[in-house]
Amino acid sequence: GAYIAYELYYKLKNSQTETPEHLFLSGINPPMLRKSIKISHLDNDTFLEQVVELGGIPSDLLKHKDVLNFFFPILRNDFRIVEEYKYEYKSKKIDCGLTIILGSDDKLTQNYNNIWREMAEKEVEFYELKGNHFFLHNHTELLKDIIYKNLMFEDENKK
């Protein structure tokens, strides 16, 4: 999702359309340094093991094969999209507010704060929340506060 948001920002910018006031990206390395694991092609059992290891499926859900079977194609396609993503250099920097949120135990991301700063015109906010790649599930209130704080800051700067 974060790579889609990143590319959508540039699609809007290049089409002379209004761009977002703030871009929130979570669980993402800078696109040119993305760490990709190749699991979308694996058989169902091995794929499931890998996703569980990343923390993407709560253990309660493993008991419900009918629910898992419903979400398997969606989850597999999410990984396939990231695996097939091809970064293209952007000559223009991100010129809206930018917030990067990472999980402290995420095996897919690293702290690349300096690179994100180089990619942005404005100051970049960084948050590292406790958890793995799917840390969002455990921090909904804090995420709401982060988004609210940043959007209010952007709104105050407009006045």
Side-chain angles (χ1 to χ4, degrees):
Y3 288 121
I4 292 171
Y6 172 81
E7 290 295 335
L8 179 59
Y9 168 83
Y10 278 100
K11 195 67 125 172
L12 293 170
K13 187 165 190 64
N14 292 335
S15 66
Q16 309 301 318
T17 305
E18 190 173 333
T19 56
E21 292 178 23
H22 203 99
L23 190 56
F24 296 90
L25 302 175
S26 72
I28 182 176
N29 284 328
M32 72 291 286
L33 298 173
R34 68 191 175 86
K35 182 178 179 182
S36 181
I37 58 171
K38 306 284 187 193
I39 66 171
S40 68
H41 67 284
L42 299 173
D43 65 83
N44 284 350
D45 290 336
T46 310
F47 177 75
L48 181 61
E49 287 172 19
Q50 293 292 312
V51 175
V52 167
E53 188 176 309
L54 290 170
I57 297 178
S59 56
D60 299 359
L61 191 58
L62 293 174
K63 301 171 194 164
H64 303 283
K65 294 291 183 193
D66 54 332
V67 176
L68 277 177
N69 288 336
F70 176 78
F71 284 106
F72 245 61
I74 297 166
L75 193 54
R76 189 181 294 279
N77 278 327
D78 280 352
F79 278 93
R80 185 184 53 76
I81 288 168
V82 171
E83 291 169 5
E84 293 177 0
Y85 171 72
K86 303 268 190 277
Y87 169 74
E88 292 181 20
Y89 173 77
K90 314 290 192 245
S91 60
K92 297 176 185 172
K93 292 184 176 192
I94 297 169
D95 65 359
C96 68
L98 179 59
T99 298
I100 305 296
I101 310 168
L102 302 176
S104 59
D105 302 320
D106 188 348
K107 296 177 184 175
L108 297 178
T109 60
Q110 294 175 313
N111 179 326
Y112 286 113
N113 295 1
N114 289 336
I115 294 171
W116 281 114
R117 283 187 185 103
E118 291 172 15
M119 295 172 62
E121 289 287 335
K122 298 180 178 181
E123 188 174 331
V124 183
E125 286 239 22
F126 299 96
Y127 295 90
E128 185 174 278
L129 306 182
K130 184 158 179 49
N132 57 34
H133 188 68
F134 298 91
F135 66 90
L136 298 174
H137 303 297
N138 300 319
H139 297 286
T140 52
E141 282 300 310
L142 180 54
L143 289 167
K144 178 187 67 119
D145 293 343
I146 291 169
I147 292 168
Y148 180 78
K149 176 187 149 227
N150 281 284
L151 292 180
M152 291 306 294
F153 178 76
E154 295 293 328
D155 199 38
E156 288 174 11
N157 281 344
K158 279 181 162 181
K159 295 178 183 176

